Amino acid sequence: MKALTTEQVKAILTAARESSTRDWCMLLLTFRHALRSQEVRQLKVSDVDLTNGSVSISRVKGSKSSIQALDRHRGEPLLDSVLAVRLWLKERKEDGSQVLFPSQKGGMMTRMQLGRIFKKYALAVGIHSDLAHPHILRHSLCTVMAEQHADVYAIQQRAGHKNISNTMIYTHISDRQAGDACKAALMSAFQ
């Protein structure tokens, strides 16, 4: 499974933030909530609840919809989804569609438009073209969670996977990691 590094994700988000609050907020939510293109494009303003700090996500492809927290990120404002949404909602011009991230002409943007937006930032920061598609953000979040030893069920919930086997693709570990985990478990069990 291909994924971006945390440095690459930050570089894309930085480029987007410098250019457009809409693009930064849209790509940040795509990453932080493991959204598919259609899921982020169909978000409505009413899906965001800043009072409770949440976003309602309607999943596609048979995945489980959910309400997820909008999170602060102490020390890294670039990853602060509460800040991003607040700033975007202050700038956003109502076009009658109620789409959270409308296209420049109004209404829901197309899959191709989102793809072009992401590709522009990805290529600008040196991401190889085969990784320059917005779906890579979904894989990148799940990969980061797995690398940081998040519970597999937490990854499943965040991505909206109905079947745990879809989540398991992110949990591959090296022989060294398995050895280290075994050693730590034995040291703890046989003190």
Side-chain angles (χ1 to χ4, degrees):
M1 181 63 53
K2 292 183 179 182
L4 300 173
T5 65
T6 55
E7 292 80 18
Q8 290 172 317
V9 171
K10 284 174 56 177
I12 290 168
L13 293 175
T14 298
R17 185 172 189 189
E18 290 170 356
S19 177
S20 162
T21 304
R22 178 199 68 175
D23 295 354
W24 167 52
C25 185
M26 179 173 60
L27 297 179
L28 178 59
L29 292 186
T30 300
F31 173 67
R32 291 208 57 151
H33 299 281
L35 300 176
R36 293 180 177 89
S37 170
Q38 183 178 341
E39 294 165 352
V40 72
R41 291 182 298 110
Q42 72 187 11
L43 282 174
K44 302 278 190 212
V45 173
S46 60
D47 291 330
V48 174
D49 180 350
L50 282 175
T51 302
N52 292 312
S54 64
V55 60
S56 179
I57 299 168
S58 296
R59 297 287 184 180
V60 297
K61 294 183 127 183
S63 294
K64 295 188 300 186
S65 297
S66 62
I67 296 175
Q68 296 184 2
L70 292 171
D71 297 313
R72 292 281 187 187
H73 195 99
R74 278 183 263 135
E76 186 54 76
L78 184 65
L79 296 173
D80 188 325
S81 58
V82 173
L83 174 65
V85 170
R86 280 195 176 134
L87 291 174
W88 170 237
L89 288 176
K90 283 182 184 176
E91 273 185 37
R92 185 184 173 279
K93 305 273 189 277
E94 182 51 56
D95 67 353
S97 71
Q98 285 296 302
V99 172
L100 183 59
F101 302 112
S103 71
Q104 294 198 348
K105 294 181 180 178
M108 188 168 86
M109 69 176 66
T110 66
R111 181 180 59 83
M112 296 297 285
Q113 287 170 319
L114 176 59
R116 279 193 299 272
I117 289 167
F118 183 79
K119 189 172 189 173
K120 172 180 76 171
Y121 297 120
L123 295 179
V125 299
I127 305 298
H128 194 274
S129 62
D130 69 336
L131 300 177
H133 54 84
H135 198 74
I136 198 79
L137 292 173
R138 178 176 169 83
H139 294 307
S140 299
L141 177 75
C142 294
T143 299
V144 166
M145 288 180 73
E147 287 172 351
Q148 296 301 312
H149 310 292
D151 184 90
V152 70
Y153 297 108
I155 300 169
Q156 178 187 25
Q157 177 67 23
R158 193 63 167 194
H161 293 148
K162 277 191 178 174
N163 189 331
I164 193 73
S165 66
N166 293 330
T167 310
M168 296 306 289
I169 62 173
Y170 299 106
T171 61
H172 298 292
I173 62 170
S174 69
D175 289 341
R176 184 188 58 74
Q177 289 169 312
D180 290 348
C182 179
K183 180 179 176 182
L186 291 174
M187 292 299 288
S188 178
F190 294 98
Q191 291 185 8

